Amino acid sequence: MGRHSRKGPEPTGSDIEAAVANAGGDREGMRPGPGSGRRRRPADAPAGAEGHAPFREAGHVRGGHPEQREPGGGWGAGPQQTVPRRQPQVGTRSLVPGPRREFVDAFDVPEPHGPSAPAAPPADPYSSVGEWEERPPQGDADAPTPAKDGKGAKGRTFTGIAAAAVTTVLAVVVAGQVAHDSGGTSAAQPAGVDRDGTDGASRSDDRPTPKVAQVKPLSYAEKMAKAYPLSPELHGSGKFEAVPGTAKAPGGGHKYRYRIDVEQGLGLDASLFARAVQETLNDDRSWAHDGAMTFERISAGEPDFVITLASPGTTGDWCRKSGLDTTEDNVSCDSAATERVMINAYRWAQGSSTFGPDKLFAYRRMLINHEVGHRLGHDHVSCRTSGALAPVMQQQTKSLNIGGIKCRPNAWVYPGS
């Protein structure tokens, strides 16, 4: 027989009577005071067969495992209908449940056969473990001595306590992990946003701040080589606005003063257009060649002519005033009967198939030189040698092949300069 099954001496009749008398007494009135934590050997109790006095089993559940309930822990809390094992129903109290029943049942041993000892009074679920395992200093001398099963009960008691401790630790660890994962905030909170509280740092604190890409502005040449959206059927408001500012004439020849007007609502860069006109006309390859003439832009006063950037519809309106039809090929014109040299905004924005998309810069220069050339008194001229550069006064927007002679596109009056 294992050492947990040794039987102690049979209880005497007087002991049984005393135990029965105690069981019917007021349990609250005989609650022992707090123990010191050490097991005491009462002087009036006989030593056991193994040389020690048996401890008092003052109420324990089946198997010798006291149901220890402590506040908090991993078992939860709250009012529950508590019915201790083998005890009368206590009622509804705010209790913390004891160890899980499977841990208690796992260490149960069969009750010994033979005459059973008197039933012990029910254990107080609120008393400490130390109170169950030691005799109080002011204990009743007439209290019955428990049966000699102390060693086995002691082992079962500490085994149950160890199992309950393991359960508590696991519950606390799991609860702590859940609390850590949630962080006390909503799971839908986006990453990188500062959490509530002084110690809720953003996850992006240690990350380097991404550098904003610096967009390099386009140069004048890049802007002049870029196409811009504009409908070939656009008919604007017909209202013009002068580009503010002036540009002095750089040369010493005959001076022509001009103003630049841009139709409202085109969405094109008016300052870019004004710069292109001034630099093109005063280039040595243009009409200012060898200092023969020079051009000055003004925004107020009386100009010699007005270079006007207008929608295809408005351009057609002003060209008709001079007997010219620009709607068939959507071209520009010099409206000689008026003060305006009309530059078709569609051609300025999109170019022509004769120059192609890769020669927009050159096409825009040709467009300025050609129409201002009409204002200076020059008529159309066609190419006479196949493969040569087309004259600037040829209608290059329409075709580079005239009379079977195909020429190359050209923007300048004096291209070889």
Side-chain angles (χ1 to χ4, degrees):
M1 181 177 296
R3 64 189 183 94
H4 293 295
S5 301
R6 284 201 193 107
K7 297 181 180 180
E10 294 288 334
T12 62
S14 60
D15 293 335
I16 295 174
E17 294 174 359
V20 172
N22 272 337
D26 184 7
R27 186 158 60 90
E28 292 296 326
M30 61 183 293
R31 180 180 296 178
S36 63
R38 295 186 56 192
R39 202 178 299 280
R40 300 178 183 274
R41 180 176 296 172
D44 56 347
E50 298 183 8
H52 60 81
F55 64 88
R56 296 182 61 85
E57 294 185 55
H60 56 81
V61 297
R62 179 183 176 186
H65 301 291
E67 293 189 8
Q68 178 181 0
R69 294 177 170 86
E70 298 180 4
W75 296 326
Q80 303 191 18
Q81 188 73 18
T82 305
V83 182
R85 189 180 179 94
R86 285 194 171 187
Q87 292 185 9
Q89 183 170 340
V90 178
T92 303
R93 296 186 183 183
S94 177
L95 301 179
V96 179
R100 294 171 60 178
R101 181 58 54 192
E102 54 265 28
F103 285 99
V104 176
D105 293 340
F107 296 95
D108 279 351
V109 296
E111 294 183 357
H113 299 286
S116 59
D124 188 351
Y126 298 100
S127 60
S128 65
V129 177
E131 292 173 355
W132 300 343
E133 296 182 350
E134 69 175 347
R135 184 169 184 169
Q138 294 82 18
D140 188 358
D142 296 332
T145 302
K148 185 184 176 183
D149 195 16
K151 189 172 182 180
K154 175 182 176 182
R156 291 193 300 273
T157 298
F158 282 104
T159 304
I161 293 173
V166 171
T167 304
T168 303
V169 170
L170 290 175
V172 170
V173 169
V174 172
Q177 184 64 38
V178 172
H180 174 74
D181 291 343
S182 63
T185 58
S186 171
Q189 186 173 10
V193 178
D194 289 345
R195 272 65 174 170
D196 294 334
T198 56
D199 57 347
S202 170
R203 294 183 179 179
S204 62
D205 286 346
D206 297 333
R207 299 177 183 175
T209 302
K211 295 182 179 180
V212 179
Q214 298 294 331
V215 179
K216 184 180 178 181
L218 296 177
S219 64
Y220 166 71
E222 289 172 333
K223 291 178 180 178
M224 288 291 288
K226 179 181 178 182
Y228 301 98
L230 199 139
S231 171
E233 299 177 356
L234 178 64
H235 197 304
S237 63
K239 297 180 180 180
F240 303 110
E241 184 175 359
V243 177
T246 61
K248 295 294 182 179
H254 179 79
K255 182 187 292 185
Y256 288 93
R257 302 173 73 206
Y258 70 94
R259 187 182 78 228
I260 290 183
D261 285 356
V262 176
E263 186 177 12
Q264 296 177 358
L266 289 180
L268 298 175
D269 190 341
S271 60
L272 176 67
F273 179 70
R275 179 180 175 180
V277 171
Q278 178 71 6
E279 292 191 8
T280 299
L281 292 179
N282 286 289
D283 192 290
D284 189 58
R285 293 168 291 181
S286 184
W287 302 109
H289 179 66
D290 287 340
M293 59 188 72
T294 186
F295 299 87
E296 180 175 286
R297 181 171 69 88
I298 62 174
S299 57
E302 291 296 327
D304 295 313
F305 51 87
V306 179
I307 300 177
T308 306
L309 182 66
S311 64
T314 302
T315 298
D317 294 341
W318 279 86
C319 291
R320 272 193 297 272
K321 293 179 180 182
S322 298
L324 303 172
D325 183 10
T326 60
T327 59
E328 184 177 350
D329 296 307
N330 223 350
V331 294
S332 304
C333 82
D334 169 38
S335 182
T338 70
E339 62 178 358
R340 298 189 181 276
V341 175
M342 303 300 297
I343 304 296
N344 191 321
Y346 170 72
R347 292 300 181 182
W348 174 264
Q350 295 288 312
S352 70
S353 60
T354 53
F355 278 71
D358 58 333
K359 294 182 179 180
L360 265 174
F361 195 170
Y363 177 80
R364 287 166 177 161
R365 283 172 164 169
M366 184 277 299
L367 197 59
I368 295 169
N369 279 326
H370 182 93
E371 300 305 334
V372 172
H374 283 305
R375 175 64 57 162
L376 295 175
H378 298 281
D379 293 326
H380 286 147
V381 177
S382 298
C383 179
R384 293 188 176 95
T385 304
S386 181
L389 291 174
V392 75
M393 295 309 296
Q394 180 172 321
Q395 293 180 299
Q396 297 181 62
T397 297
K398 293 182 177 181
S399 176
L400 290 173
N401 190 342
I402 297 177
I405 301 174
K406 186 176 182 179
C407 296
R408 292 180 292 137
N410 171 44
W412 301 109
V413 181
Y414 301 96
S417 301

